[in-house]
Amino acid sequence: MADTKYEGEIWILGIDGCDGRGRTLCGYLAYGGYKSRPAKLEELANGRPQGILLDLSPFSTDGWNILLQLITSTKTRDIPILPLYLSEEGKVGGVFPCAGFFTIPVDTGYVAERLAVLGLADDAQDWDLRALVVSRSGEEQLSRALEELDFEVVKAYTGKEGLAVASTGPYYLAFSTLMLPDMSAFELLDRLRLYPRTRNIPFFILIKDSMKEGERAAMSRQIDHLVRKKELSRDEFLGYLRKKTA
C-alpha cells in the first residue's frame, strides 16, 4: 500500500532545491502556509502530494520529460499540475493554470471520467453547452467523445482562429493541442486570460504521448519568449495556486 505521509504537500519538480533557483518559489509557498518541498519523480511510488508545481523553463531539470511521465502514467495523471516558469535567477516569471492534460491519442473513456470527476459534464445534458477544440487536425476522436457527453463541439485550426471563435462565446470548455501552427497552447491560454468572457474557461492541453528532444527544447524557448520580461508577485502567484488546489 502506498505511503500516505505526503498527503497535503505541494511538490516542486524540475528544480534541484530551495537553495538555488527555487529559493523565491519556496519562500512564496512558506509565506502562503503551504507544506511543500522539492521532490523527485520516483518519490511518487511512495506517496501522493496534493499537487505538483512543475518548472518548464529552459532552465528546468528535465521538466518536459517529467510532465510526460506524469500524464502518461495511470498512477499519477490525476494529480493537479500547475506548470510554471522560473527564470535563471529563480524569479517566478509566469504560471499556466490549465485545467489539466490529456495525451494524444486520447483515451475517450478517461476524458469522460475526468470531466465527470471535475464536475464539468453534469450540465451538458440539461443545457446547450459548447466545447472549443483547437487543433491542426481537428481531433475527431476527442470531438466524438465530447459529443457523446452532449456538448456541441466547435473547432478551430489555429490559435488566432481559436481566439476569434472563443470571443463569440460563451464556451464551457476548451481544448488545445500543445503545438498549433501559429502559437503554443500556453500562449493561447495566456491570451484567453486577458478577456473577461474567456478568462475562466476550463482549458485542457493535449500532448503527444512522446516528444522529441527538439520539440521539448522548442517549447521551452517558446515559453521563455512568452514570459521572460514578466515576474509574478508573491500574492499573484499564491492567488493562482489557491485556485488550483481549492
Side-chain angles (χ1 to χ4, degrees):
M1 182 179 295
D3 192 339
T4 60
K5 65 182 179 181
Y6 301 125
E7 290 183 358
E9 286 189 348
I10 302 295
W11 285 8
I12 312 168
L13 275 64
I15 66 171
D16 291 328
C18 285
D19 294 333
R21 291 179 56 245
R23 185 187 303 275
T24 297
L25 179 60
C26 292
Y28 285 180
L29 290 163
Y31 180 86
Y34 288 94
K35 184 180 179 183
S36 65
R37 63 186 180 87
K40 301 295 184 182
L41 189 65
E42 52 268 25
E43 293 181 65
L44 287 164
N46 299 316
R48 181 187 178 92
Q50 179 182 358
I52 289 174
L53 299 176
L54 178 60
D55 179 24
L56 292 179
S57 74
F59 317 106
S60 70
T61 305
D62 208 20
W64 285 103
N65 185 51
I66 292 171
L67 177 62
L68 286 174
Q69 292 192 57
L70 287 171
I71 66 175
T72 55
S73 170
T74 56
K75 295 181 179 179
T76 58
R77 63 186 182 181
D78 295 342
I79 300 173
I81 302 170
L82 181 61
L84 55 85
Y85 174 99
L86 290 183
S87 71
E88 191 169 10
E89 299 79 21
K91 297 178 181 178
V92 183
V95 299
F96 303 95
C98 59
F101 296 90
F102 294 113
T103 54
I104 303 173
V106 295
D107 179 340
T108 55
Y110 177 61
V111 171
E113 175 189 320
R114 286 306 298 161
L115 294 183
V117 168
L118 295 171
L120 296 174
D122 300 341
D123 295 333
Q125 295 178 357
D126 301 320
W127 303 93
D128 295 327
L129 300 180
R130 291 192 291 177
L132 175 63
V133 176
V134 188
S135 168
R136 183 198 302 264
S137 67
E139 299 301 330
E140 291 299 328
Q141 196 172 11
L142 171 64
S143 298
R144 287 195 297 270
L146 293 171
E147 289 170 347
E148 288 177 4
L149 294 172
D150 293 316
F151 286 101
E152 176 189 349
V153 176
V154 179
K155 297 180 182 181
Y157 299 92
T158 68
K160 290 181 180 178
E161 185 179 358
L163 288 168
V165 171
S167 69
T168 66
Y171 283 88
Y172 192 70
L173 297 172
F175 299 79
S176 174
T177 49
L178 179 64
M179 298 179 183
L180 298 166
D182 52 349
M183 66 182 69
S184 73
F186 289 109
E187 183 173 354
L188 176 58
L189 171 61
D190 205 46
R191 293 192 184 188
L192 288 172
R193 286 159 54 193
L194 295 175
Y195 305 102
R197 173 172 281 188
T198 57
R199 181 175 299 152
N200 296 314
I201 296 176
F203 185 96
F204 295 89
I205 296 178
L206 310 172
I207 302 182
K208 291 187 298 183
D209 58 11
S210 62
M211 291 176 66
K212 297 178 181 179
E213 183 176 349
E215 292 175 324
R216 295 196 294 265
M219 279 305 307
S220 291
R221 289 194 299 269
Q222 199 279 337
I223 292 176
D224 183 55
H225 174 74
L226 186 61
V227 303
R228 69 172 59 175
K229 295 182 180 180
K230 298 181 181 178
E231 180 180 359
L232 292 184
S233 69
R234 181 184 62 200
D235 290 342
E236 287 174 325
F237 168 75
L238 290 174
Y240 285 117
L241 183 57
R242 290 187 185 106
K243 289 180 182 178
K244 187 68 177 179
T245 58

